Amino acid sequence: MEKKLLQNTLWIFNHPNPETIPSYYVSGLMPAHFMNIKKIIFLENHNPHSLIDKFKPKCIIISKAFSLKISELVEIARKKGIIVISIFDDWVFENKNRTKLNLPIAKNSDYIITKTIYADEEIQTNTGIKSKIIPDPIRFQTSKVIKNITLPLKLCWFGMHTNHKTILNELTNLDNTNLKIELSIISNYFEDFVKSLNKMKLKNINIKFKIWNKKSNLDIIESDIVLLPYPKDNKRLVKSSNRIIDSLNLGRFTILSKVKQFKEFEKFTFFGNLSDGLYWIMDNKEKSYEITTLGQKYVNANYSIDSVCIKWFNLFDEIKERI
């Protein structure tokens, strides 16, 4: 029954190039491929009735919405008795435009998926709707844990351009450590970043920009240490842990801001101020290797695609009892 249900499920992506969006890739394309679920791109000019009539699904999974057309599809599906599962990434209710998109979808969904406890709490507090927590999986092949950390320090930061300010805000303090630093920024849309950088007078940091791509793991492992600064705000409170698990899986020592949503990773990272983390590593190289090794084992045990899809399979077991 479960296999038949999977065969009659559609995974809906509301973007013409879903593989270019990290959240789509890790929380949608990867599990859909692993579970052999049919993937569909549904855009503003598409007809929801035609989609449903053509495929006659028993269940649809909605990845992050970018247009109001998705709420129309969900409402029609619900009226036809189709099970609707909706995935919500980074839903902060202070963002009125995002709430305008998400709220009608949430109200017409049978199940809501979030990535973390705090994302679940945010939705529950604002809507009264409880979600099921299914985290993002590791996206890259495991790499050997870094052991010999030397000067100049080889650091990297990777992420979406919308998060550039998080690392820009740390550069002056990092420069003031007086440690020689080679910093790779692995991302996209660097124009504003460069403008901000040009206003700084950094003496100890040499920055290289690298375009994010499907093989960016090869760029990440050219560095020894990953910097992951997280401001204590609502926007970051509901973020996935995907960059943390990727960093540990790639065997990089990880310096992670001390934020409550990622306390799970405290004993596998330097959990605190980024500059303090650099000093700590230089004084504790063997310990750095030990905790990174433990962290890699932990994320491989808990965030592999197999582990994450077990949670999806459990959800489908629950669904099949309803239909």
Side-chain angles (χ1 to χ4, degrees), residues 58-77:
K58 298 286 187 184
C59 175
I60 60 172
I61 303 172
I62 306 293
S63 281
K64 185 175 182 176
F66 291 99
S67 81
L68 290 169
K69 195 78 170 185
I70 287 290
S71 61
E72 183 182 347
L73 171 64
V74 167
E75 185 176 358
I76 292 167

Side-chain angles (χ1 to χ4, degrees), residues 34-180:
F34 186 88
M35 295 186 288
N36 200 26
I37 293 174
K38 188 184 296 291
K39 300 176 283 290
I40 300 291
I41 292 173
F42 182 81
L43 304 176
E44 189 67 27
N45 61 331
H46 292 164
N47 187 304
H49 289 284
S50 298
L51 176 73
I52 291 170
D53 291 343
K54 178 180 179 179
F55 293 102
K56 297 179 174 55
K58 298 286 187 184
C59 175
I60 60 172
I61 303 172
I62 306 293
S63 281
K64 185 175 182 176
F66 291 99
S67 81
L68 290 169
K69 195 78 170 185
I70 287 290
S71 61
E72 183 182 347
L73 171 64
V74 167
E75 185 176 358
I76 292 167
R78 187 71 181 273
K79 287 178 179 178
K80 289 180 175 288
I82 298 167
I83 298 292
V84 177
I85 304 170
S86 296
I87 303 172
F88 292 115
D89 299 313
D90 309 343
W91 186 359
V92 180
F93 283 77
E94 295 165 5
N95 184 334
K96 302 302 181 186
N97 290 331
R98 172 51 52 191
T99 298
K100 183 179 179 181
L101 279 172
N102 285 358
L103 196 55
I105 299 170
K107 289 181 176 178
N108 281 299
S109 295
D110 296 278
Y111 297 94
I112 286 175
I113 307 299
T114 53
K115 312 297 183 60
T116 67
I117 292 170
Y118 289 95
D120 170 52
E121 289 178 353
E122 173 79 1
I123 291 176
Q124 227 182 134
T125 298
N126 287 278
T127 68
I129 302 171
K130 174 73 175 166
S131 71
K132 290 187 177 291
I133 299 170
I134 301 180
D136 288 338
I138 293 165
R139 77 184 106 185
F140 298 120
Q141 184 176 352
T142 303
S143 293
K144 188 177 179 180
V145 176
I146 185 68
K147 193 165 188 178
N148 299 313
I149 296 175
T150 58
L151 290 172
L153 292 173
K154 292 184 285 185
L155 315 182
C156 84
W157 177 93
F158 63 95
M160 292 289 287
H161 67 283
T162 50
N163 292 313
H164 282 173
K165 284 186 178 179
T166 65
I167 187 63
L168 276 167
N169 291 340
E170 297 287 341
L171 292 182
T172 299
N173 288 336
L174 291 170
D175 195 56
N176 288 338
T177 63
N178 290 318
L179 295 167
K180 294 300 179 183

Side-chain angles (χ1 to χ4, degrees), residues 5 14-15 28 146 151 158 192 233 271 286 294 297 316:
L5 177 57
N14 187 213
H15 193 278
I146 185 68
L151 290 172
F158 63 95
D192 289 340
D233 58 24
F271 197 58
E286 189 61 35
L294 290 172
K297 290 178 180 178
F316 278 102

Side-chain angles (χ1 to χ4, degrees), residues 257-289:
S257 295
K258 190 175 183 179
V259 288
K260 62 182 181 180
Q261 64 268 36
F262 297 133
K263 189 173 175 59
E264 171 188 2
F265 303 99
E266 180 177 12
K267 61 184 178 181
F268 308 123
T269 63
F270 182 87
F271 197 58
N273 177 273
L274 269 59
S275 298
D276 291 344
L278 295 182
Y279 289 129
W280 187 87
I281 290 170
M282 298 306 295
D283 292 336
N284 298 274
K285 293 181 181 179
E286 189 61 35
K287 184 66 174 177
S288 300
Y289 174 76

Side-chain angles (χ1 to χ4, degrees), residues 41 199 305 313:
I41 292 173
K199 297 175 184 178
I305 185 63
F313 286 132

